[in-house]
Amino acid sequence: FDDAVFTLSRAILTDPSSRLAHLVRGRAYYCMGEDERALNDFSTVVARADERQEKDELLRMRILLGDIYHRPLTTFSRLKTFICGTLVDSFHDPSVGEAKEMVRVCAYANRGRVNLRCGNFEVAVEDFTEVVESRGEHGDIPSMYFFRGLTYCKLHDWTMAVEDFTLNIGLTETDPEAYVRRAGAYSALQNWKAAHDDLSTVIELEPTAKVYYLRGRLLCCMRNWADAVLDYKRSLAMDRGYIPAKLGL
């Protein structure tokens, strides 16, 4: 990632107004754990969202991003995925207006994840909401509902968390993690039946020792001791070394 940051920093020195260079450098900093620098780059993109953007910049950045993507360095894997999946393919022949909006939404989405990781939960909610309100035209809406739901959990706003995880599940019905997270929010609201239903759905989709343990712990909250013991045993049957299930028994 140091090489990518160096290359992108040179591009920014050449053209300080380049939002794309700031966006991708911010992503590189995010992958490196340099959260403050990532926030600065993403915030720069957001602050310049209404500035004019020329097609020449799009062409220059497509060449630059393509050069970074095709370097045979495994350390670039996450950055390569971001560039290829989010940017390079979208820059095949974009209009200036579409590209500007796509860059703006990407900046909010990435800044939200950094703010979540840094504990800036209220700001993260605002960032994810900006992406959601783009109506999915330029943002990965299911994941934004998921991340905003996680953020609401950090704020102990369990009702809003359930709402966002439900929206996420409505768009990606087979995502086990969304059901697990919603079950946790339901548990915090003491809606034991809804939580139990979600964990049972996860067991149908992708049974793991952890999920059996979580359902066993939930059954203890419901004072259903016999079924809780069965789930702890099922957890250990899948992973004999799973400590939480051993402690549960």
Side-chain angles (χ1 to χ4, degrees):
F1 292 112
D2 289 338
D3 192 14
V5 167
F6 177 75
T7 302
L8 292 160
S9 296
R10 288 182 61 186
I12 290 169
L13 285 173
T14 303
D15 183 4
S17 65
S18 174
R19 286 166 301 239
L20 283 170
H22 282 288
L23 176 64
V24 181
R25 189 178 69 174
R27 184 63 180 185
Y29 281 137
Y30 174 81
C31 293
M32 295 166 67
E34 296 277 356
D35 291 334
E36 185 175 348
R37 290 178 173 178
L39 282 175
N40 287 337
D41 271 343
F42 295 140
S43 295
T44 296
V45 177
V46 170
R48 296 175 177 173
D50 295 327
E51 292 181 7
R52 186 176 180 183
Q53 184 162 332
E54 301 289 352
K55 284 192 175 181
D56 285 348
E57 181 198 347
L58 305 182
L59 179 59
R60 289 197 306 273
M61 283 305 301
R62 187 171 180 230
I63 293 170
L64 173 64
L65 299 180
D67 176 57
I68 292 173
Y69 177 76
H70 288 296
R71 294 182 191 183
L73 298 174
T74 57
T75 54
F76 281 100
S77 59
R78 282 178 290 171
L79 188 60
K80 286 180 177 182
T81 300
F82 172 71
I83 291 170
C84 187
T86 310
L87 293 176
V88 171
D89 292 345
S90 300
F91 277 82
H92 178 64
D93 188 20
S95 71
V96 171
E98 289 175 347
K100 184 169 72 173
E101 177 64 5
M102 185 272 293
V103 169
R104 185 187 74 87
V105 170
C106 278
Y108 274 116
N110 283 277
R111 192 175 72 171
R113 294 179 69 175
V114 179
N115 277 317
L116 172 59
R117 190 162 72 180
C118 290
N120 305 324
F121 302 131
E122 291 85 357
V123 181
V125 167
E126 293 174 3
D127 285 342
F128 294 136
T129 299
E130 283 283 344
V131 183
V132 168
E133 290 179 351
S134 74
R135 302 176 185 271
E137 295 175 10
H138 301 282
D140 180 6
I141 296 301
S143 70
M144 291 303 101
Y145 283 131
F146 179 80
F147 282 115
R148 194 172 67 175
L150 290 181
T151 311
Y152 280 130
C153 287
K154 295 292 185 180
L155 292 167
H156 294 180
D157 190 340
W158 308 112
T159 301
M160 291 301 297
V162 165
E163 183 177 319
D164 269 356
F165 291 136
T166 300
L167 289 167
N168 175 245
I169 289 168
L171 295 169
T172 56
E173 296 181 359
T174 59
D175 180 10
E177 188 63 21
Y179 285 103
V180 170
R181 296 290 184 171
R182 190 173 68 174
Y186 275 136
S187 295
L189 293 168
Q190 297 188 3
N191 188 341
W192 310 122
K193 182 180 184 307
H196 183 273
D197 289 345
D198 275 351
L199 292 176
S200 297
T201 298
V202 177
I203 287 171
E204 292 177 5
L205 291 172
E206 191 176 302
T208 64
K210 179 181 177 180
V211 177
Y212 274 120
Y213 163 73
L214 290 174
R215 194 174 68 173
R217 190 175 65 180
L218 176 66
L219 287 164
C220 287
C221 294
M222 300 169 70
R223 298 184 179 277
N224 187 343
W225 313 114
D227 285 344
V229 168
L230 288 176
D231 269 351
Y232 288 145
K233 289 181 177 179
R234 292 183 182 112
S235 175
L236 291 171
M238 298 192 75
D239 181 356
R240 294 179 62 183
Y242 193 64
I243 302 297
K246 288 183 177 181
L247 294 175
L249 286 173

